[in-house]
Amino acid sequence: MWLAAAIWAIAVLGAEAERKPLFDGAGFSGWEGNLAWFRIEDGAIVGGTLEKDIPRNEFLCTTERYGDFELTLSFRLLGDGANAGVQFRTARIPDHHEVVGYQADIGDGYWGCLYDESRRNRILAGPEKETVEAVLKKGEWNAYRIRCEGDRIRLWLNGALTVDYVETDPSVAREGVIALQIHSGPPSEAWYKNIVIQELTGESRE
């Protein structure tokens, strides 16, 4: 029994060692985007402003690409009519401000949903309204857990599973950048912090 416990402990510690922060709370190292619309405040990345309208969608993207992974982060959304999201397995559209790829959506009517940005332009999967109402803390810090394994994508909002989706289109990219969005619209801010990724290997897959 002790041997099994030791093996389990080693596996857990090994998995934890593979987790790495994508944001150090102080600078934009490892990220690229229009910094006229992103800033760092109180250890968080802030997209947008409460002082004026947001003229177009803006995205702050990682410089590295990721395939199979588990991503965790905290976020909060401020402003009436605000909308944002976390892109993954995403790519920038050349010579354009937009990106194409999956999005863990943030905003009224979209909380906990999987949206397909600039590709199918629709919600691919999402939770029941009651699931969101039970866990969402509007205007406060919330947590996303995003897990991609092959064709399967799962989202958790504050610990509640909101999406369990299997991609059936073989032409859809299975890797890409991570990106933080502030959506065009009224004055609003999307705050992101505690952004941590674990790339999945054979040992860490479910």
Side-chain angles (χ1 to χ4, degrees):
M1 182 178 295
W2 68 268
L3 180 58
I7 292 173
W8 176 86
I10 291 170
V12 170
L13 290 173
E16 286 298 317
E18 294 168 3
R19 292 170 57 82
K20 67 175 184 178
L22 294 182
F23 172 58
D24 63 8
F28 286 115
S29 177
W31 297 84
E32 60 83 16
N34 183 359
L35 297 187
W37 288 99
F38 290 93
R39 68 183 190 274
I40 296 171
E41 185 173 334
D42 296 333
I45 293 173
V46 185
T49 175
L50 296 175
E51 302 300 320
K52 57 184 178 181
D53 288 349
I54 316 296
R56 67 183 194 182
N57 293 350
E58 295 288 353
F59 301 87
L60 186 72
C61 300
T62 61
T63 54
E64 291 191 33
R65 297 168 59 86
Y66 302 93
D68 287 2
F69 61 86
E70 182 166 298
L71 178 74
T72 57
L73 73 156
S74 301
F75 68 89
R76 67 175 177 178
L77 190 62
L78 306 178
D80 294 335
N83 184 275
V86 181
Q87 298 285 144
F88 55 96
R89 289 185 173 178
T90 284
R92 282 206 179 273
I93 298 174
D95 302 316
H96 202 278
H97 65 278
E98 267 287 354
V99 300
V100 56
Y102 297 115
Q103 182 187 96
D105 221 328
I106 298 172
D108 288 343
Y110 299 98
W111 301 107
C113 290
L114 178 65
Y115 184 78
D116 200 20
E117 182 88 18
S118 300
R119 188 163 47 203
R120 287 164 285 197
N121 294 308
R122 61 180 175 87
I123 294 173
L124 301 177
E128 296 293 330
K129 181 180 178 182
E130 294 75 16
T131 300
V132 173
E133 290 178 343
V135 298
L136 180 66
K137 296 173 285 187
K138 290 192 68 172
E140 301 179 29
W141 286 104
N142 294 270
Y144 252 139
R145 176 185 170 202
I146 301 166
R147 189 176 180 95
C148 297
E149 295 176 272
D151 296 336
R152 188 181 186 189
I153 296 171
R154 282 174 286 175
L155 307 181
W156 289 263
L157 176 63
N158 291 333
L161 181 67
T162 62
V163 166
D164 192 343
Y165 173 79
V166 176
E167 181 58 69
T168 59
D169 186 345
S171 70
V172 173
R174 267 52 172 186
E175 68 169 19
V177 300
I178 308 294
L180 309 176
Q181 183 205 49
I182 183 64
H183 201 284
S184 63
S188 54
E189 292 179 347
W191 291 59
Y192 303 95
K193 67 178 182 179
N194 303 327
I195 308 166
V196 177
I197 198 165
Q198 178 186 1
E199 295 188 77
L200 302 180
T201 64
E203 294 77 14
S204 53
R205 296 177 190 274
E206 293 181 358

